[in-house]
């Protein structure tokens, strides 16, 4: 196997596993598409090559231009075996693994005042905790976020979040719609950011929870916090804000880690 074939295999493997950023010119070169055919035909060759592996371009070729950065990833989200999920939730939080008990529901508020109407337990602070973790994974090589799972690996479930959203119990469509809408609203380029998040639901002991696989992003992801754009990163098992005086150094750090092209 020559170096070109090795690069192709490595790219496809990464795209299948977690998603991989690229541009159409890079894919044309990577797949050794003949140069003596029209550009549209070369792009079609790329699409057909990706389809062999059930991979797609996000956004698709109807959006942007030929040099736009696109995410290459599975068109269909693969469901993991329960053994893999159990292994994850028995692990400790790390630079690429995080647990959140809820998405919207304020567990602490409920613990000292449990008699309020359900919607009064909705918390922007709890929501922001999830959003900033997603941002940190985007900025630091990707990661896995479980929502509905406590730090100790016990399953809390998403039923309270869905009740806040007006349902009687857990509803996957309702939860996903709210999460996607919040990502779209809280992130700069939120519509694009949603392409970097694969979301699956699992059930254990009668409780449903969400698994978010967040892909690495070369471009820095910015989150709106108190009407300002903020950058977050992972440091070990925690998410921290990158202060303005740290941003230049952090950009170089991302490049050294292979998380950014520049």
């Amino acid at each position: 196997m020559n170096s070109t074939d090795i690069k192709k295999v490595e790219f496809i493997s990464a795209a299948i596993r977690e998603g991989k950023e690229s541009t159409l010119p890079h894919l044309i070169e990577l797949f050794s598409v003949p140069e003596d055919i029209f550009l549209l035909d070369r792009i079609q060759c790329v699409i057909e090559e990706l389809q062999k592996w059930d991979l797609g371009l996000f956004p698709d070729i109807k959006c942007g231009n030929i040099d736009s950065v696109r995410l290459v990833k599975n068109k269909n989200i693969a469901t993991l075996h329960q053994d893999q999920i159990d292994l994850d939730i028995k692990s400790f939080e790390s630079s690429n693994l995080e647990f959140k008990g809820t998405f919207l529901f304020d567990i602490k508020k409920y613990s000292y005042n449990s008699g309020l109407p359900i919607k009064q337990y909705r918390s922007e602070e709890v929501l922001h905790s999830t959003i900033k973790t997603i941002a940190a994974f985007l900025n630091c090589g990707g990661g896995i976020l479980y929502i509905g799972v406590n730090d100790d690996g016990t399953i809390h479930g998403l039923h309270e979040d869905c009740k806040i959203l007006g349902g009687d119990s857990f509803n996957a469509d309702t939860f996903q719609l709210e999460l996607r809408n919040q990502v779209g609203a809280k992130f700069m380029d939120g519509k694009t950011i949603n392409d970097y998040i694969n979301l699956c639901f699992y059930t254990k002991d009668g409780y449903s929870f969400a698994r978010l696989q967040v892909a690495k992003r070369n471009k820095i992801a910015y989150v709106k916090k108190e009407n300002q754009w903020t950058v977050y990163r992972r440091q070990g098992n925690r998410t921290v804000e990158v202060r303005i005086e740290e941003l230049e150094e952090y950009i170089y750090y991302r490049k050294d880690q292979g998380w950014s092209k520049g």
Side-chain angles (χ1 to χ4, degrees):
M1 185 179 292
N2 59 39
S3 60
T4 300
D5 290 336
I6 291 172
K7 289 180 180 179
K8 177 180 173 180
V9 170
E10 289 176 344
F11 180 92
I12 290 173
S13 297
I16 292 172
R17 184 174 62 252
E18 58 191 15
K20 183 76 172 175
E21 286 183 327
S22 189
T23 63
L24 288 172
H26 174 256
L27 292 171
I28 288 170
E29 179 182 356
L30 181 69
F31 295 137
S32 302
V33 178
E35 298 180 0
D36 58 349
I37 58 176
F38 291 115
L39 177 60
L40 289 178
D41 292 329
R42 298 170 78 188
I43 293 173
Q44 183 60 34
C45 288
V46 167
I47 293 173
E48 291 174 358
E49 183 71 24
L50 294 175
Q51 287 175 342
K52 294 177 184 177
W53 303 94
D54 205 24
L55 295 169
L57 295 170
F58 300 87
D60 63 27
I61 60 172
K62 297 177 183 178
C63 302
N65 55 53
I66 190 169
D67 292 317
S68 297
V69 175
R70 305 173 196 276
L71 186 67
V72 182
K73 68 174 185 177
N74 267 316
K75 291 186 290 184
N76 299 307
I77 299 174
T79 302
L80 295 179
H81 191 275
Q82 188 65 47
D83 289 346
Q84 177 61 55
I85 301 302
D86 290 342
L87 184 62
D88 277 354
I89 62 180
K90 289 177 182 177
S91 303
F92 294 106
E93 290 182 324
S94 65
S95 60
N96 58 5
L97 179 65
E98 176 86 0
F99 303 117
K100 300 291 181 187
T102 63
F103 179 54
L104 301 169
F105 183 77
D106 191 332
I107 297 174
K108 291 182 179 178
K109 183 176 181 179
Y110 180 81
S111 68
Y112 63 78
N113 190 354
S114 60
L116 301 176
I118 187 67
K119 292 192 176 182
Q120 291 191 28
Y121 295 109
R122 179 171 181 141
S123 167
E124 285 299 312
E125 183 179 351
V126 173
L127 168 62
H128 184 70
S129 180
T130 289
I131 294 296
K132 72 180 186 180
T133 298
I134 293 172
F137 284 153
L138 289 163
N139 291 332
C140 292
I144 304 297
L145 170 62
Y146 283 90
I147 307 177
V149 180
N150 296 319
D151 290 347
D152 61 2
T154 57
I155 309 301
H156 183 87
L158 303 172
H159 52 289
E160 293 152 332
D161 290 323
C162 289
K163 286 181 179 180
I164 285 175
L165 296 173
D168 293 328
S169 59
F170 168 70
N171 183 286
D173 290 338
T174 298
F175 183 89
Q176 176 157 205
L177 181 61
E178 179 69 12
L179 186 142
R180 298 288 185 185
N181 285 342
Q182 290 294 341
V183 168
K186 303 293 186 184
F187 279 91
M188 186 184 294
D189 302 326
K191 185 176 180 180
T192 299
I193 295 295
N194 265 311
D195 289 332
Y196 288 73
I197 302 170
N198 281 342
L199 172 61
C200 286
F201 296 98
Y202 297 89
T203 301
K204 185 174 182 180
D205 300 330
Y207 293 98
S208 296
F209 56 97
R211 182 183 190 271
L212 282 67
Q213 181 168 311
V214 183
K216 177 187 77 172
R217 190 173 190 240
N218 283 316
K219 186 178 179 182
I220 289 179
Y222 291 87
V223 172
K224 186 177 290 185
K225 179 187 177 185
E226 298 174 353
N227 295 320
Q228 292 184 336
W229 293 112
T230 306
V231 177
Y232 292 97
R233 61 170 295 184
R234 294 292 282 179
Q235 280 188 336
N237 63 353
R238 65 176 186 161
T239 294
V240 298
E241 183 177 335
V242 180
R243 297 193 299 269
I244 187 65
E245 65 269 20
E246 302 170 332
L247 187 56
E248 183 176 6
E249 181 180 356
Y250 176 60
I251 290 171
Y252 283 113
Y253 177 75
R254 291 184 79 237
K255 186 176 180 181
D256 288 342
Q257 295 295 314
W259 300 334
S260 171
K261 293 181 179 178

